[in-house]
Amino acid sequence: MLVLGIETSCDETAAAVLRDGRLIPASNVVASQADLHSEYGGVVPEIASRKHMETIIPVICRALRGAGVSLRDIEGIAVTRGPGLVGSLLVGLSVAKAIAFALDIPFVGVNHLEGHVASVFLGDSSPDFPFVALVVSGGHTNIYLANGFQDFRVLGQTKDDAAGEAFDKAAKLLNIGYPGGVVIDRLARGGKKDWIQFPRAMKESMDFSFSGLKTSLLKCIKKRGYPFHERDLPDVAASYQEAIVDVLVEKTLRAAQMFSIKKVVVCGGVAANGRLRERFREEADSRGIDVYIPPALFCTDNAAMVAVVGEDILKRGFRDTFDINAVSRWPLDTLRGYS
Amino acid sequence: MPGKSHPAGDGVSLLKVVSRHPDETFRIGRRIGEHLEGGDVVALIGELGTGKTCIAQGIARGIGVPDEYTITSPTFTLINEYRGRLVLYHFDLYRLNGIRDMEDMGYEEYFFGDGVTVIEWAEKIEDILPEGTLFIYLTYIDENEREIRIPERGQRAVALSNLLK
């Protein structure tokens, strides 16, 4: 089966083609808007939806060319329906509906967070269900017990800011650029991880809180009364990053141990962070847990992960009707399980 | 990129309190939320880390959003929607560029609807805030303390600050 995946939930316009559950590598196209947004220090939603409109058709064409197939060969479409910015989601959803209608093929709306979890199936090695999954990005920081496709239980979630947001806002406070996670990751290499003792919040719980960490950095800056010297920035970045990485690793692995699960998946944009990947590998290994982290290319938003979920739904004989709408909030534990 | 900033707010203060802890900021928010009515717009103005999301979380509980719904920062999602006694639209304009972006989002449906709208970084869109908007300024004092101030501005400010005293 040939499935076309489409993703426009936030920053990226993306398309990809899957043949019988396997990504055709040359078809994985992601047009990032990060360059456009860097001058504003963040995602600018109005620009996002307008840019999606301009890029979606060329991106799909390039994906099809890369796959070496024509639009008429496509047998099903998977498109991100939520959660995300409704204006952005609508662009992908409308194009998906139009193609499905024109070709008379089925389409399904996919949950973006389930897509992130499914990105693990795009890597060289992937686990069987059940596993514990950490989805960590600019908008989300959730720990799930994943029993199967469409069958998730929330074990922990952020009570305020997402981890990616904590990175971005720190980069903003330090005035070191965007995207914050990438800049801090790079700066932190070679920095002293214990130069500043940042707080680790909610140690007893599986929920996260990153708001206090951001405030703690702010307090540091206010106390000094002047910005950090350039030579100190690697140490600040390394200390700050370590505080985020510490809690992500500790809570996720503890969740796995609590449910006697030996497999952990780490996914979402922040899973591309070098230090997070390193620490997860070390810590999981010492606790006898297997950790699966997709290649960085599949951690950030992409359409291949959406197609993986969509193909599973289509293969089970489900399809969506043309009246479905984009949804801004769509918790993963509200999906209907198949069992 | 940020819009005009008003760390101290403007005009006469109707209410000025010092919150000594995020829990206290939350409770002040909850009391405000309890008195809000359909159509109210609340503008939260303050720098990063002054407690905007915290007071918004309190407002949400005051409106009756059940505890099982976690009120998270909408920085990336832009708008989060919750249902309590009234519908609550929680905006975060941190990433927004200006008023034109708001127009493309169809903000009128939220501002002039039956729900309550709470807006973080509202100073970026000051010119399109409805007349009755309740302004709340949050200012950093030290590690834990924040000044929370309601200026004499907007039709709802007098009524609500009297109820809070």
Side-chain angles (χ1 to χ4, degrees), chain A residues 2 4 71-77 96-97 99-108 314 319-320 322:
Chain A
L2 269 183
L4 170 67
L71 191 59
R72 288 174 194 286
D73 299 325
I74 299 296
E75 295 161 276
I77 299 180
K97 285 179 184 176
I99 298 174
F101 183 75
L103 297 181
D104 194 22
I105 56 173
F107 83 98
V108 284
L314 289 164
R319 60 193 292 172
D320 275 320
F322 287 104

Side-chain angles (χ1 to χ4, degrees), chain A residues 263-286:
Chain A
K263 289 165 288 183
V264 161
V265 168
V266 185
C267 54
V270 176
N273 178 282
R275 182 63 184 153
L276 184 72
R277 298 171 82 92
E278 183 181 88
R279 277 289 305 284
F280 255 113
R281 296 232 157 83
E282 288 169 8
E283 287 291 321
D285 197 45
S286 74

Side-chain angles (χ1 to χ4, degrees), chain A residues 229-241:
Chain A
H229 192 278
E230 204 165 315
R231 66 164 180 266
D232 294 333
L233 285 176
D235 297 335
V236 180
S239 305
Y240 190 85
Q241 173 172 274

